[in-house]
Amino acid sequence: MEYQNITVQSSAGIGVLTVNRPERRNALNRAVVGELRQALQDFEEDVSVRVVVFTGAGAKAFVAGADIKQLAGYTPADGLGAWLQRFFDYLQDYPKPTIAAINGFALGGGAELAMACDIRIASAGARFGLPETNLGIIPGAGGTQRLARLVGTGRAIELILTGRIITAEHALQIGLVTEVVDGEALLDTARSTAELIMAKGPLATRMAKIVVRGGIETDLATGLLLERLAQSLLYGSTDKAEGTSAFIEKRRPSFSGH
């Protein structure tokens, strides 16, 4: 597929999706999201791709929200259709690990995109915010729910009600991102993190995502049950046999994902 709004690259097991609308600060619209979904589906079918990294083109923005010109025409039916929220649900449940390499402004839908990823790494100059209340609306693509789960209810309400934009360091302090690095090192850091993940058992990393995300939405006893069931499946896998044998034999494991 020939993409108009994103660039797609893959090498050494890492797929990189770059929102490529720097003249619009990489704002999201239906065309962008359609291309991102197609690229993700292609990566899902490509066994050579183990981890997916998201970033934005240019030095100013990761994704500076949704396209306001498109948003201005939305109706209540669009709100119920929730096309962007549904895409971020798909991204959160994506079977392969995802990393947001946040290189600038991550506002509104851009912050929601980052929150739907598994890991968030920010450049020192990145900025975060959910300013939708300035437009008379709320963060409607998962922001009210994912932000509270990441940083706590009190901080989430404060950020949403004020629409305040915070620095990368502040985002690190409250747990919105996991690491802050110099801008020049951002993609290299994301790739290094991806390489650490790829060195692990692929079945285990996929199962870990399912158990953590599923368990957090339920009570402790049910979460622990999910953990036991997942572990029992992994105990019967060839990856577990290879991982334990490699450890005993003092060699690197060669996982098959089975």
Side-chain angles (χ1 to χ4, degrees):
M1 178 176 176
E2 185 175 342
Y3 296 103
Q4 303 298 320
N5 300 285
I6 67 173
T7 62
V8 180
Q9 298 173 310
S10 64
S11 64
I14 303 169
V16 179
L17 299 181
T18 304
V19 181
N20 189 26
R21 301 179 76 208
E23 74 287 352
R24 298 300 303 274
R25 293 196 174 186
N26 302 322
L28 297 177
N29 59 23
R30 290 179 184 268
V32 176
V33 170
E35 291 185 11
L36 287 172
R37 183 183 284 273
Q38 182 60 58
L40 283 169
Q41 290 171 348
D42 291 343
F43 279 161
E44 184 174 351
E45 296 171 3
D46 187 346
V47 294
S48 71
V49 175
R50 295 276 309 280
V51 179
V52 178
V53 174
F54 289 84
T55 194
K60 293 183 177 180
F62 170 66
V63 171
D67 192 317
I68 304 302
K69 289 184 178 180
Q70 192 174 78
L71 188 152
Y74 288 170
T75 68
D78 293 303
L80 289 174
W83 62 272
L84 190 55
Q85 186 193 82
R86 293 176 190 277
F87 171 67
F88 291 150
D89 288 346
Y90 165 71
L91 175 57
Q92 178 174 287
D93 294 335
Y94 195 65
K96 299 181 180 184
T98 56
I99 300 171
I102 304 153
N103 55 308
F105 283 99
L107 305 179
E112 290 170 315
L113 168 61
M115 288 189 286
C117 291
D118 298 316
I119 297 170
R120 286 158 294 284
I121 303 169
S123 70
R127 296 292 184 269
F128 299 84
L130 292 168
E132 283 87 347
T133 50
N134 291 316
L135 303 174
I137 59 175
I138 63 171
T144 62
Q145 303 305 302
R146 292 192 178 96
L147 184 62
R149 284 163 171 76
L150 285 168
V151 307
T153 302
R155 288 194 177 100
I157 289 177
E158 190 271 339
L159 288 171
I160 291 169
L161 295 187
T162 64
R164 190 156 58 95
I165 296 174
I166 63 173
T167 65
E169 285 297 334
H170 190 168
L172 180 64
Q173 291 170 9
I174 65 176
L176 182 55
V177 301
T178 54
E179 190 173 1
V180 175
V181 299
D182 290 338
E184 297 80 6
L186 179 61
L187 283 177
D188 285 341
T189 302
R191 289 190 178 96
S192 295
T193 301
E195 288 166 0
L196 285 173
I197 295 169
M198 291 189 295
K200 310 303 186 285
L203 193 60
T205 57
R206 182 170 183 177
M207 195 69 76
K209 281 187 56 168
I210 292 171
V211 173
V212 171
R213 292 199 181 279
I216 200 68
E217 301 298 335
T218 188
D219 60 273
L220 177 61
T222 304
L224 291 172
L225 175 59
L226 288 173
E227 184 180 88
R228 290 197 298 274
L229 293 173
Q231 189 75 302
S232 68
L233 290 174
L234 291 170
Y235 277 173
S237 69
T238 56
D239 273 1
K240 174 260 185 180
E242 169 61 14
T244 53
S245 295
F247 181 85
I248 293 168
E249 297 165 10
K250 295 182 171 58
R251 60 175 175 81
R252 288 187 178 182
S254 179
F255 293 114
S256 66
H258 297 94

